[in-house]
């Protein structure tokens, strides 16, 4: 059940957007190093005053098993807070730090599978890129277009504040990278694939009833969007779990992937969708385990924690 969205005040949206623009202006006025420092200070303050999200991150780290104790969860939550502070800075300074001329100095490829590695090192191939809110997902689209020498269409989810959303999506796209709202369904995605574009899907968020299938993530039930599986079954185009991971504090990132998902249908469509979707979840989980500080742990991802119909007394007190 998706539930009704809360009505937002236009005044609140305008004030929030004004604060956002001021933040963007300040960060863009500073060097990358100083912008990181300022953002970290802001996020440390938010970490201590935003009880709800701090508690949720700690709960999720314990629930997933990424942290065995509360102390480990708190330590990783603070590292995650530092990561999110850097992502905010990087979003505001993308065009100041990287472009179609200098991207080779900023990007590297750490892809173990030879066939997949070729896609980013001189032999482009049409794929459906599966990624997550891991590393820097906002930079990933443009970076992939430059590195892979391809045109890309990515699915976007409208943000709660439409003015901030318009700003972010305008700065995410370029002449080779366009976005399409997920609310428009499969048709524009198939059109992009038929035109030869690479498609990118951020596939780590909760799917409402009717939009996804129930799978496992870190051993717990989740509802995951079936779009990647549907597109793969319909087109035969490989799915490619690939992530842009921060390497240092000098705006260096690496594409990381273990290979392609190429599934042979069995004829049982529902079973095939479930199997492929679980393969997508498993691939995303694998890379979150490698870089647990670089994923958004505040996502309400699991069905058996932080959801009205699935809470238990143990989960309520876990943090």
């Amino acid at each position: 059940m998706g539930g009704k969205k809360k009505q937002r005040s236009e005044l609140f949206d305008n004030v929030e957007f004004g604060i956002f623009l001021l933040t963007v202006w300040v960060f863009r006025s500073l060097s990358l190093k100083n912008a990181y420092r300022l953002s970290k200070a802001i996020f440390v303050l938010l970490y201590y005053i935003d009880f709800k999200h701090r508690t949720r991150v700690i709960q999720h780290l314990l629930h997933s098993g990424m942290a065995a104790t509360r102390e480990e969860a708190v330590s990783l939550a603070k590292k995650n807070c530092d990561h999110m502070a850097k992502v905010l800075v990087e979003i505001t300074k993308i065009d100041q730090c990287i472009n179609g001329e200098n991207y080779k100095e900023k990007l590297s490829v750490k892809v173990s599978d030879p066939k997949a590695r070729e896609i980013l090192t001189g032999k482009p191939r049409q794929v459906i890129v599966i990624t997550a809110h891991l590393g820097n997902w906002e930079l990933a689209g443009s970076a992939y277009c430059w590195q892979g020498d391809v045109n890309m269409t990515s699915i976007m989810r409208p943000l709660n504040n439409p003015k901030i959303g318009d700003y972010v999506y305008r700065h995410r796209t370029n002449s080779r990278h366009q976005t399409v709202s997920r609310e428009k369904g499969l048709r524009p995605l198939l059109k992009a694939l038929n035109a030869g574009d690479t498609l990118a899907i951020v596939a780590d968020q909760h799917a409402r009833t009717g939009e996804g299938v129930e799978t496992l993530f870190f051993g717990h039930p989740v509802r995951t969007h079936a779009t990647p599986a549907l597109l793969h079954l319909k087109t035969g185009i490989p799915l490619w779990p690939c992530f842009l991971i921060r390497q240092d504090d000098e705006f260096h990132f690496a594409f990381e992937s273990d290979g392609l998902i190429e599934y042979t249908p069995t004829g049982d469509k529902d079973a095939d969708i479930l199997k492929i979707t679980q393969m997508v979840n498993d691939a995303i989980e694998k890379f979150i385990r490698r870089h647990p500080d670089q994923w958004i742990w505040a996502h309400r991802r699991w069905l058996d924690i932080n959801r009205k119909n699935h809470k238990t007394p143990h989960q309520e007190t876990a943090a």
Side-chain angles (χ1 to χ4, degrees):
M1 292 182 291
K4 293 182 179 179
K5 290 185 178 180
K6 294 180 180 179
Q7 292 295 320
R8 290 173 60 91
S9 160
E10 184 177 354
L11 175 61
F12 179 84
D13 280 352
N14 288 335
V15 171
E16 188 179 54
F17 184 55
I19 294 171
F20 173 78
L21 288 180
L22 177 61
T23 303
V24 170
W25 179 81
V26 171
F27 286 157
R28 289 180 65 83
S29 300
L30 297 172
S31 67
L32 180 64
K33 179 187 263 187
N34 287 333
Y36 277 154
R37 286 174 176 167
L38 176 59
S39 188
K40 181 176 181 178
I42 294 171
F43 271 73
V44 167
L45 177 63
L46 290 174
Y47 176 85
Y48 286 106
I49 66 175
D50 186 353
F51 173 80
K52 183 176 84 170
H53 288 96
R54 181 178 77 246
T55 299
R56 186 184 293 169
V57 168
I58 293 169
Q59 283 182 329
H60 289 175
L61 286 164
L62 290 166
H63 190 66
S64 68
M66 283 306 307
T69 65
R70 177 178 169 80
E71 289 71 24
E72 288 181 11
V74 169
S75 176
L76 188 48
K78 290 178 178 178
K79 291 178 182 177
N80 189 233
C81 180
D82 183 53
H83 164 72
M84 295 309 304
K86 291 173 181 175
V87 170
L88 177 59
V89 169
E90 290 156 2
I91 289 173
T92 68
K93 296 178 77 68
I94 285 176
D95 64 317
Q96 292 181 335
C97 297
I98 188 171
N99 53 53
E101 302 299 322
N102 71 349
Y103 70 89
K104 291 183 179 179
E105 302 167 13
K106 299 294 184 178
L107 305 176
S108 57
V109 178
K110 296 182 178 180
V111 179
S112 56
D113 180 73
K115 285 199 304 182
R117 184 177 176 80
E118 285 182 346
I119 298 172
L120 291 173
T121 55
K123 192 177 180 181
R125 177 182 180 184
Q126 189 180 32
V127 293
I128 299 170
V129 176
I130 304 299
T131 192
H133 291 89
L134 178 66
N136 191 317
W137 59 94
E138 290 294 339
L139 171 61
S142 293
Y144 189 97
C145 292
W146 293 324
Q147 182 69 44
D149 191 25
V150 296
N151 294 327
M152 173 178 281
T153 296
S154 60
I155 301 175
M156 64 92 171
R157 179 183 71 83
L159 299 185
N160 291 333
N161 187 318
K163 293 186 178 181
I164 294 177
D166 288 344
Y167 179 95
V168 170
Y169 292 126
R170 271 202 321 272
H171 288 76
R172 173 190 288 183
T173 58
N174 57 42
S175 61
R176 305 196 69 175
H177 179 207
Q178 64 175 332
T179 61
V180 61
S181 173
R182 74 174 187 180
E183 297 175 351
K184 294 185 177 181
L186 292 179
R187 185 171 297 176
L189 308 181
L190 290 169
K191 182 178 179 180
L193 290 173
N194 287 335
D197 281 10
T198 288
L199 192 65
I201 302 175
V202 181
D204 61 340
Q205 290 185 305
H206 172 72
R208 291 174 291 187
T209 301
E211 293 184 345
V213 293
E214 191 166 319
T215 53
L216 294 177
F217 193 54
F218 287 88
H220 293 275
V222 293
R223 190 175 297 112
T224 304
H225 287 279
T227 302
L230 288 168
L231 290 171
H232 181 54
L233 289 172
K234 190 169 185 66
T235 67
I237 296 173
L239 302 179
W240 188 23
C242 186
F243 313 91
L244 191 68
I245 305 299
R246 183 185 301 103
Q247 303 298 296
D248 56 28
D249 290 346
E250 302 293 334
F251 216 90
H252 292 110
F253 296 85
F255 292 99
E256 295 192 15
S257 172
D258 283 345
L260 304 168
I261 294 175
E262 297 181 273
Y263 181 82
T264 302
T266 65
D268 184 337
K269 184 178 179 180
D270 289 341
D272 289 343
I273 289 172
L274 184 62
K275 177 67 174 177
I276 296 168
T277 305
Q278 186 61 59
M279 292 169 74
V280 167
N281 271 7
D282 291 345
I284 292 173
E285 178 183 328
K286 182 187 298 186
F287 279 87
I288 293 172
R289 288 184 179 278
R290 292 180 189 177
H291 307 283
D293 58 319
Q294 293 196 39
W295 187 59
I296 298 185
W297 287 96
H299 273 170
R300 293 172 63 236
R301 185 69 178 98
W302 288 275
L303 294 174
D304 57 349
I305 186 171
N306 288 326
R307 291 197 175 275
K308 289 181 181 179
N309 298 328
H310 295 275
K311 290 180 179 178
T312 68
H314 170 71
Q315 291 159 359
E316 284 287 333
T317 58

